[in-house]
Amino acid sequence: MNEQKLEKITKQFMCAFPLSLFDWQDIFESILNENEQEELLNRTVKSKLLQKYPIQLNYQKLFLKHVINKLESSQNSLQETVIHDGVYEVYGHLVAAVDSFKNYKHYYLNDCNIITLKESNNLISQGTTGLRTWQASLALSEWIIYNKDQFNEKIVLELGSGIGLTGLVLSKTCEAKQIYLTDCHETVLENLRENTEINLVDTSSTVDNYKFLKVLCTRKNVSVFNLPWEDFDMEICKDLGNIDVVIGADIIYDKDLFQSLLNAMRRLKEFCGVKKFIFSCTERNVETLEGFLHLARQSFQHVEQETIPDQSNFIWPTDTPIRIFTFRD
């Protein structure tokens, strides 16, 4: 197995990419010798990163079971594959292990940066969808890296930050002046705070002197706020001060929230001087998305669809279309 294939399978495994979408035929195109099998184990199920921040145990077992099946299939058909004893040994440990109540995913960027996030494995958990990474967030993160010059020395606010992937990508790959991560669900905010502290260990920052905003944590140039959309008013915006860009991933999905979101956008534009809004969304329902775009065009002169870059730093399923829009005057 060459290094390129090894890096690809490592990236897929560490972010718990669906096993059904792995290109197993390509991975096992040639026979894996014992050294290659050991290296595969060390980069995946035996990774030191998983000792501190484990991904879901069942996923690890299913992954290694796939590997074993492929190796045994090669052995039966070619009589040449020697299966490393460590493969069965590690699988036995996984079968006997007890799953952690905390599960993580790890996103490998091409510049060797790693973003580690505590995530839920369920679509909806504790009454919210904000405890896992969604495809639109991965696509927007890729777009941000591809267009990182747009964020240099900018003050950026993210609406509906969820577990924090997009904002943390912004912090690690761009030279933004200040980044505000916001959400409103108590459990989501606690998870967002924890993920921010895992990934940004630099605590050096200026003292937060906000009159109305409650800051949950500050790391490096990133601050986490509890900020519901309906709370955006002149006083809140004055507290925030000038903001250059607002981003959001998968926040256009519920017609009942459109007016709150659009009101927040208008106030941010009026009182904080926001020049551009950049939103990504998974197109689950064309009518819902077009309904929001119709309303947005009444408040913004320019509503433009952006080109999504190729999957380079991040990988996501492509069964449902993802679209990225900018809104500006």
Side-chain angles (χ1 to χ4, degrees):
M1 180 184 294
N2 61 38
E3 180 63 24
Q4 185 177 7
K5 286 185 180 180
L6 194 54
E7 287 180 358
K8 180 180 179 180
I9 195 172
T10 300
K11 177 177 284 194
Q12 290 177 321
F13 171 82
M14 296 300 278
C15 70
F17 191 68
L19 294 173
S20 60
L21 299 180
F22 275 58
D23 190 348
W24 294 104
Q25 184 174 352
D26 180 63
I27 294 168
F28 290 93
E29 182 181 24
S30 58
I31 299 169
L32 299 187
N33 61 42
E34 290 187 86
N35 289 335
E36 290 173 326
Q37 293 172 38
E38 184 173 13
E39 184 63 19
L40 179 61
L41 291 176
N42 289 336
R43 295 209 193 181
T44 55
V45 290
K46 290 181 67 177
S47 167
K48 292 181 179 179
L49 187 58
L50 298 193
Q51 295 175 17
K52 187 173 183 180
Y53 301 113
I55 64 176
Q56 186 187 31
L57 179 61
N58 192 53
Y59 181 87
Q60 296 186 59
K61 288 189 290 188
L62 289 172
F63 168 82
L64 195 51
K65 185 62 177 176
H66 270 80
V67 171
I68 290 172
N69 288 341
K70 291 296 181 181
L71 291 172
E72 290 179 342
S73 176
S74 299
Q75 189 179 52
N76 292 335
S77 61
L78 299 174
Q79 298 297 319
E80 296 180 19
T81 303
V82 177
I83 301 178
H84 194 295
D85 289 340
V87 174
Y88 292 114
E89 182 181 343
V90 172
Y91 184 71
H93 287 315
L94 291 175
V95 170
V98 177
D99 204 355
S100 169
F101 69 95
K102 289 185 178 181
N103 292 310
Y104 299 82
K105 293 182 182 179
H106 310 278
Y107 298 90
Y108 280 51
L109 308 186
N110 286 347
D111 60 0
C112 299
N113 256 321
I114 300 174
I115 294 178
T116 293
L117 299 175
K118 188 176 78 170
E119 295 196 25
S120 170
N121 299 303
N122 301 318
L123 297 179
I124 299 176
S125 179
Q126 301 184 53
T128 177
T129 59
L131 294 174
R132 58 169 291 164
T133 296
W134 295 89
Q135 293 155 260
S137 180
L138 295 165
L140 182 57
S141 296
E142 192 75 69
W143 188 91
I144 286 171
I145 295 174
Y146 190 79
N147 296 278
K148 60 184 179 182
D149 290 347
Q150 293 192 27
F151 300 94
N152 287 348
E153 294 302 313
K154 296 292 193 296
I155 299 174
V156 184
L157 181 142
E158 182 178 20
L159 298 173
S161 297
I163 63 171
L165 174 66
T166 309
L168 291 169
V169 167
L170 190 63
S171 175
K172 284 180 173 284
T173 63
C174 305
E175 296 181 8
K177 182 177 180 180
Q178 183 70 40
I179 301 168
Y180 300 133
L181 307 184
T182 71
D183 217 294
C184 62
H185 190 283
E186 183 178 356
T187 307
V188 174
L189 284 165
E190 177 57 27
N191 202 56
L192 177 59
R193 179 197 61 76
E194 183 175 337
N195 285 336
T196 301
E197 292 176 348
I198 288 172
N199 290 279
L200 303 175
V201 296
D202 181 5
T203 59
S204 60
S205 62
T206 57
V207 177
D208 298 316
N209 293 313
Y210 298 108
K211 186 176 180 181
F212 298 98
L213 291 165
K214 181 181 178 182
V215 182
L216 278 73
C217 78
T218 298
R219 288 290 186 273
K220 194 182 173 185
N221 62 336
V222 177
S223 296
V224 177
F225 294 143
N226 178 359
L227 193 54
W229 298 343
E230 57 269 20
D231 284 0
F232 276 95
D233 56 22
M234 186 170 63
E235 298 299 334
I236 288 290
C237 289
K238 283 182 178 179
D239 235 5
L240 286 168
N242 181 69
I243 295 173
D244 299 299
V245 182
V246 172
I247 62 174
D250 242 334
I251 59 176
I252 305 171
Y253 62 90
D254 187 345
K255 293 180 180 179
D256 293 338
L257 299 177
F258 284 178
Q259 284 305 324
S260 294
L261 176 55
L262 287 164
N263 287 338
M265 293 170 68
R266 294 186 194 104
R267 287 163 183 163
L268 284 164
K269 181 176 66 169
E270 180 179 358
F271 299 121
C272 295
V274 175
K275 299 292 191 296
K276 181 186 292 186
F277 296 81
I278 307 167
F279 295 160
S280 66
C281 55
T282 304
E283 192 178 296
R284 301 179 183 89
N285 185 299
V286 175
E287 183 181 348
T288 300
L289 176 58
E290 291 301 328
F292 178 82
L293 295 176
H294 173 73
L295 293 173
R297 290 187 179 100
Q298 298 174 22
S299 298
F300 296 90
Q301 295 182 29
H302 302 281
V303 177
E304 300 167 342
Q305 184 168 341
E306 299 290 325
T307 300
I308 298 177
D310 293 336
Q311 298 185 24
S312 176
N313 292 275
F314 298 95
I315 48 177
W316 60 87
T318 56
D319 52 333
T320 305
I322 296 173
R323 299 170 72 181
I324 297 178
F325 294 93
T326 56
F327 306 83
R328 59 185 177 83
D329 284 334

